[in-house]
Amino acid sequence: MAKIAYILLCHKDPEAIIKQAQRLTAVGDYMSIHFDASANPAHYAQIKDALKDNDHVTYAHKRIKCGWGEWSLVQATLYAVESAVDAFPKATHFYMLSGDCMAVKSAEYTHQFLDDNDADFIESFDYFESDWIKTGMKEERLIYRHFFNERTQKWRFYTSFNMQRKFGITRDIPDDIQVMIGSQWWCLRRRTVEWVLDFTRQRKDVMRFFRTTWIPDETFFQTIVRHVVPKEEIRTRTLTFLMFTDYGMPVTFYDDHYDLLLSQDFLFARKISPEAKDLKRRLGLLYAAVGVQFKISNEGTSLFKFLTGRGRIGRRFGMRFWETESTLGRERELMIVICKKWHVAKRVLERIRQVTNVPALEYIFNEEDTPLPDLGGIQKTLGKRARHRRALMRMLFDYYETDKLIVCMDPGNVDLLQDFAGDRSVTRMLEIDCGFSDDYLIGHAMRVGLAGDQTSTDTLERLLPTIRNDMIFESDRIRDAGFENLEKMREGAGAEENAKALASFLRISPEKAFEIAQADYLFSD
């Protein structure tokens, strides 16, 4: 059975640290604590006094002052790891934590998970090839020497950096090292930790290199573990659930996130709000619980992106300079069917094909596998189609040798709709207004990754109104856009009323339009 030595880096909230240590060691696990040397000495004394009789707790053999982005964070971790290796010979795994982390699974589940997965869990992506670093310095973190703290010594940090860059004072990365990057929250097997410590003693050149890199807690262990352990034994992921906002700040969890956290495929979560007292209480009881069954749905990240992304409206596809004067053609007619229920739009399109000879294509800007002719590669990905939308549409008109073309679009594609409506060609639109039952919305949430088979009922009940309002919002945006040639079919309307909209949209006779609209299966789910 796995026995875990938790490596805890902390600098505040001694009461929370004491409780965390007591919870995690109560079931037989261990903890090695590094309490920042720059923190309140009374707090450290309080921790040591409260845990003095707990032989499952030890402390880093040396305490140092830590600063964000500095080597000191890595050195503090190494001190705590060295103490844990010496103090806990029965520990099979070493798990990196912060004072803001809490278990979101029971010890029983956690130990069984580690027994079933003989591997090291650490994010370890290629530093240069991956897109882990989104903005800011990349190569500069490594090839220049960083001696100062960017947050507390900003002038010195950037003066030193700019001087090195100005005079070309760079250095090489050690030849046999492939620098990797990832989250600092890892879980490593004992053998791996011992290999890493051996490496630190043998490779002084690598240690010197990392001591003056910037933000080495994102690269040091990630690089060394990949160097000493076969890649087949590494799971490039963290077992700690954490999310970041668009501004690079970690998302904080509160009392109402309990069910969400338990349903994620992770063992711990970060960051738990200090004010989330009920959440802390429930998670604290959970770690010692026995026989708890967890339903893993793992929708947390996609759900957060969906909820925080609402309302951020901008031109997602800015016009390229070569498309400024482009047009589909003054004599051409582009007819767009707009519907959130794609299966309904596809049925309407099929009926249109049966009654008219107008070429009709399905969701070419939403579904990668929509059948399209070979247009020289422009049709291969959704990204290319969206970027070169007018060129794509012109080529489709030419391919089908027609001046009339029908395509389907999702109501969320309002930017594309506005772009085509502004073209010098004739653009007509048909919005199909459908009803959305709770069952349909749940299915939609699962299809787009907002929920899973194991998502709790409470989570779904909170999510459904948001999804429903989002769909209403998309329809309102289309209405507010004031499109000139916009018709509307409604699920609750009769065939005669919908036939009028179809006749105007397609410019066909009322009889042919009624032939399309009278199909009783169009709106079936």
Side-chain angles (χ1 to χ4, degrees):
M1 176 66 75
K3 292 184 76 68
I4 307 168
Y6 291 105
I7 309 302
L8 180 65
L9 261 59
C10 48
H11 64 281
K12 61 180 180 178
D13 201 352
E15 292 85 359
I17 293 168
I18 293 166
K19 290 179 180 178
Q20 188 180 40
Q22 290 171 338
R23 280 192 301 265
L24 296 178
T25 60
V27 295
D29 289 323
Y30 310 102
M31 179 172 286
S32 179
I33 300 173
H34 180 278
F35 194 76
D36 197 324
S38 61
N40 189 333
H43 289 171
Y44 185 56
Q46 181 182 349
I47 294 170
K48 296 203 72 172
D49 183 64
L51 300 174
K52 62 184 178 182
D53 296 325
N54 191 332
D55 58 3
H56 281 228
V57 175
T58 191
Y59 302 88
H61 60 83
K62 184 177 181 181
R63 292 173 60 213
I64 58 174
K65 296 180 179 181
C66 297
W68 185 88
E70 292 181 10
W71 168 255
S72 55
L73 287 174
V74 177
Q75 187 63 71
T77 304
L78 288 172
Y79 286 150
V81 168
E82 289 168 350
S83 294
V85 169
D86 292 339
F88 310 126
K90 293 183 179 179
T92 61
H93 293 77
F94 295 77
Y95 197 123
M96 181 79 176
L97 291 177
S98 77
D100 297 320
C101 296
M102 285 199 72
V104 294
K105 297 292 185 293
S106 64
E108 180 183 57
Y109 180 99
T110 298
H111 293 155
Q112 190 62 54
F113 179 91
L114 295 177
D115 285 341
D116 293 341
N117 294 273
D118 184 19
D120 297 303
F121 290 86
I122 182 169
E123 285 190 351
S124 183
F125 303 100
D126 186 276
Y127 188 90
F128 295 100
E129 298 299 326
S130 72
D131 61 348
W132 206 86
I133 298 175
K134 302 297 183 184
T135 60
M137 293 184 185
K138 189 168 185 176
E139 183 183 31
E140 293 87 350
R141 290 194 193 185
L142 307 179
I143 64 172
Y144 298 113
R145 295 168 177 83
H146 301 276
F147 303 101
F148 306 103
N149 187 292
E150 193 268 346
R151 292 190 174 180
T152 61
Q153 299 171 294
K154 192 175 291 289
W155 184 85
R156 289 181 177 179
F157 178 91
Y158 285 106
T159 299
S160 171
F161 167 68
N162 289 328
M163 290 290 288
Q164 292 178 72
R165 184 168 58 177
K166 179 179 180 179
F167 293 105
I169 306 173
T170 62
R171 59 175 175 178
D172 295 329
I173 298 169
D175 291 338
D176 61 334
I177 293 295
Q178 179 186 8
V179 179
M180 311 297 285
I181 191 167
S183 166
Q184 71 181 103
W185 312 110
W186 41 254
C187 177
L188 304 177
R189 296 167 295 177
R190 184 181 192 92
R191 181 188 67 178
T192 301
V193 166
E194 291 173 345
W195 285 349
V196 169
L197 294 179
D198 286 342
F199 183 94
T200 65
R201 290 187 283 266
Q202 296 168 9
R203 293 296 302 272
K204 300 301 182 183
D205 59 323
V206 176
M207 298 298 285
R208 284 194 299 271
F209 172 78
F210 277 106
R211 281 193 183 97
T212 51
T213 59
W214 189 40
I215 321 182
D217 53 296
E218 294 180 351
T219 55
F220 179 77
F221 285 97
Q222 297 77 359
T223 299
I224 306 309
V225 169
R226 182 60 69 97
H227 187 78
V228 300
V229 176
K231 64 179 180 179
E232 295 80 11
E233 297 182 24
I234 298 174
R235 304 292 180 267
T236 307
R237 57 162 294 194
T238 175
L239 294 178
T240 298
F241 181 56
L242 67 162
M243 297 187 295
F244 290 90
T245 68
D246 290 349
Y247 305 101
M249 301 301 293
V251 174
T252 301
F253 299 108
Y254 297 93
D255 285 341
D256 58 347
H257 288 130
Y258 180 79
D259 290 332
L260 174 72
L261 293 177
L262 264 60
S263 66
Q264 306 311 305
D265 188 20
F266 294 88
L267 304 182
F268 280 75
R270 184 180 185 270
K271 310 172 72 161
I272 308 298
S273 169
E275 287 77 36
K277 299 187 184 303
D278 189 57
L279 177 60
K280 288 187 173 184
R281 178 188 63 81
R282 297 175 73 184
L283 292 178
L285 294 172
L286 176 68
Y287 193 69
V290 177
V292 180
Q293 299 297 313
F294 296 93
K295 296 180 179 180
I296 306 299
S297 57
N298 217 32
E299 79 283 6
T301 302
S302 58
L303 188 60
F304 175 75
K305 289 180 179 177
F306 168 72
L307 294 174
T308 56
R310 296 177 69 249
R312 295 177 186 170
I313 304 165
R315 289 195 62 82
R316 208 162 102 204
F317 307 105
M319 185 178 292
R320 273 36 177 198
F321 72 91
W322 61 81
E323 295 192 84
T324 303
E325 296 300 326
S326 66
T327 179
L328 304 186
R330 293 181 183 274
E331 307 303 321
R332 286 173 169 170
E333 298 180 21
L334 176 63
M335 291 170 277
I336 305 174
V337 176
I338 309 164
C339 187
K340 196 66 180 182
K341 287 187 175 180
W342 295 1
H343 62 280
V344 172
K346 291 176 182 179
R347 288 177 190 152
V348 172
L349 228 62
E350 183 57 33
R351 293 291 296 144
I352 291 173
R353 292 191 190 102
Q354 294 170 3
V355 175
T356 75
N357 292 321
V358 180
L361 299 166
E362 296 175 356
Y363 287 86
I364 62 175
F365 295 106
N366 302 100
E367 290 187 303
E368 195 93 55
D369 57 354
T370 300
L372 287 172
D374 185 355
L375 302 175
I378 195 174
Q379 83 291 346
K380 285 189 175 181
T381 67
L382 292 177
K384 286 185 177 181
R385 296 175 200 172
R387 284 195 300 273
H388 310 297
R389 52 199 174 277
R390 292 197 186 187
L392 172 71
M393 210 61 72
R394 286 198 306 272
M395 295 172 78
L396 288 171
F397 274 108
D398 292 340
Y399 178 84
Y400 289 106
E401 298 180 349
T402 181
D403 287 330
K404 293 184 177 182
L405 186 67
I406 305 172
V407 296
C408 291
M409 290 193 196
D410 188 272
N413 297 135
V414 68
D415 297 311
L416 293 176
L417 296 174
Q418 289 174 325
D419 188 38
F420 285 123
D423 191 80
R424 281 173 284 183
S425 63
V426 176
T427 303
R428 292 199 296 276
M429 303 179 192
L430 174 68
E431 183 182 6
I432 304 178
D433 186 15
C434 301
F436 301 105
S437 66
D438 286 352
D439 287 342
Y440 174 82
L441 292 178
I442 290 172
H444 172 77
M446 291 182 176
R447 285 190 294 274
V448 299
L450 298 178
D453 292 336
Q454 304 300 326
T455 300
S456 68
T457 302
D458 289 343
T459 299
L460 288 173
E461 288 178 352
R462 291 197 297 268
L463 181 60
L464 290 186
T466 302
I467 298 177
R468 191 183 301 279
N469 290 336
D470 205 57
M471 292 182 176
I472 294 172
F473 173 71
E474 289 179 348
S475 183
D476 287 344
R477 287 182 70 193
I478 292 172
R479 182 192 61 196
D480 295 340
F483 294 123
E484 184 177 353
N485 300 307
L486 176 63
E487 304 293 337
K488 197 162 192 173
M489 285 179 65
R490 294 177 175 83
E491 182 173 356
E496 294 82 0
E497 183 179 341
N498 285 336
K500 291 180 182 178
L502 280 165
S504 177
F505 172 65
L506 295 169
R507 298 293 193 266
I508 58 176
S509 68
E511 292 77 19
K512 284 189 174 183
F514 185 78
E515 187 179 345
I516 297 171
Q518 69 177 346
D520 56 5
Y521 58 84
L522 291 181
F523 293 96
S524 299
D525 284 337

